Amino acid sequence: MTLVNRKQISLYEEAEAGLNSLVKQTAQVGAGLLGMLLLTGGNPPALTVGLSVVGGIAFVAWSEEKRLTKFYAGQSQLKHNSVTASETNQSQLSNSIESESLSNEIKQIIEAATDTLSELVKQAGLNPDEDLAGADLSGVKGVGCKLSRFNLSGADLDHADLSRADLSAADLSRADLSLANLSNADLSLANLSFADLSRADLSFANLSNAKLTDVKLGRADLSGADLRNAFLMNADLSFANLSDADLSYTDLINADLRDADMSRANLSYAYLSDTTNLSGANLSNANLSNANLSNANLTATNLNTAQVESARFGNNAGLDEKAKYELKKRGAIFPQNERIGLLV
């Protein structure tokens, strides 16, 4: 048999072996992922998925190194039987270089996978059981990390950078998030009851349907934030920046909004009744249509150019007869028994 024919057979055998190995590895990795999904009920935590991917990469790299090492050993033996001693030595040297190069490449893949695994474990101490209640994570860098449905109740996250993080449906009750960066974070359906978010950056964060009962948001930046349907009863929002925020259908009953900037905010259908404190708040150009402001404190509140069509007022501290008259002219609704007259 000529050397050319042997090379052709060798290439064919290599291709066949590579295909068989790929199919086998795919089946093994697939079985592992299926097992992981079954064990986690079809809803695996972020860390489990990350570990599975890293494990799959390491397994494939190890299998390929083992197969290729065996293949090149066989090729070396064939060449030894078909060529002179001089040619055999040269071939072995070439194979040794190729094998060493291949080994280095595979080592790099494994090292990269290990680094990824270390980073996943390092990133805020993500536990497989998703329980970080009371953990000290102050100053943690978790930009864009996925913490949805995690238990972070009572955790210390002050000065943490969680911008663009997924915290949807997470339990952050009583957590310390003061001065935290939560800009563009997803906090929809999150429980933030009694949490401290004072001076936090929540600009353009998604807080729709979040539970924010008794939360501290004093001086927080919520400009452009999505707070639709959020529950903010008894919340401290004094001096907060809520400009351009969407607060439609939000429950703000008994909330403290003293001196808050709510210019251009959407407060349509919001509940601002029953001792909600809006004294000194800026509501210029805000949308208050169909909102309920009965019994709210409107002392020194800026309602200039605010949209008040079908907004309900009544028994408001700080509103004189002239202000009531102007609001009614713009479509506001007052109780029939409340006196409204233009003072001149």
Side-chain angles (χ1 to χ4, degrees), residues 153-274:
S153 57
D156 186 354
L157 287 152
D158 65 286
H159 290 84
D161 188 353
L162 293 166
S163 54
R164 303 192 306 281
D166 181 357
L167 289 153
S168 54
D171 185 356
L172 288 152
S173 55
R174 302 184 187 280
D176 183 358
L177 287 151
S178 54
L179 289 165
N181 181 5
L182 290 156
S183 58
N184 295 287
D186 185 358
L187 288 151
S188 55
L189 295 168
N191 181 6
L192 289 148
S193 300
F194 299 96
D196 186 355
L197 284 152
S198 53
R199 291 175 291 171
D201 183 357
L202 287 149
S203 54
F204 299 99
N206 181 5
L207 288 147
S208 56
N209 296 288
K211 187 177 181 181
L212 294 142
T213 309
D214 294 282
V215 71
K216 295 178 182 177
L217 283 156
R219 300 186 187 277
D221 184 358
L222 287 149
S223 55
D226 185 351
L227 286 148
R228 288 172 297 171
N229 296 293
F231 193 77
L232 281 153
M233 186 175 180
N234 302 315
D236 179 4
L237 285 152
S238 54
F239 299 94
N241 182 2
L242 287 153
S243 58
D244 299 292
D246 190 348
L247 291 146
S248 53
Y249 295 93
T250 299
D251 187 346
L252 287 154
I253 293 176
N254 204 33
D256 186 355
L257 287 153
R258 286 173 299 153
D259 298 292
D261 183 2
M262 305 173 80
S263 55
R264 301 178 304 282
N266 181 7
L267 288 149
S268 57
Y269 293 95
Y271 294 93
L272 294 148
S273 57
D274 297 328

Side-chain angles (χ1 to χ4, degrees), residues 44-48 51 120-133 135 137 146-152:
L47 178 62
T48 304
L51 291 174
L120 282 169
V121 175
K122 179 183 177 183
Q123 217 179 56
L126 305 181
N127 290 333
D129 58 3
E130 300 185 350
D131 189 354
L132 289 167
L137 298 167
K146 184 175 177 63
L147 291 162
S148 58
R149 300 185 184 280
F150 268 68
N151 180 8
L152 288 153

Side-chain angles (χ1 to χ4, degrees), residues 54 57-62 64-65 98-118:
V54 171
I57 293 172
F59 172 74
V60 171
W62 174 79
E64 280 298 293
E65 182 181 29
E98 288 177 3
S99 179
E100 184 178 356
S101 174
L102 178 65
S103 218
N104 287 336
E105 289 179 6
I106 292 173
K107 283 178 182 178
Q108 288 175 2
I109 293 172
I110 295 173
E111 286 173 3
T114 305
D115 289 341
T116 304
L117 174 60
S118 300

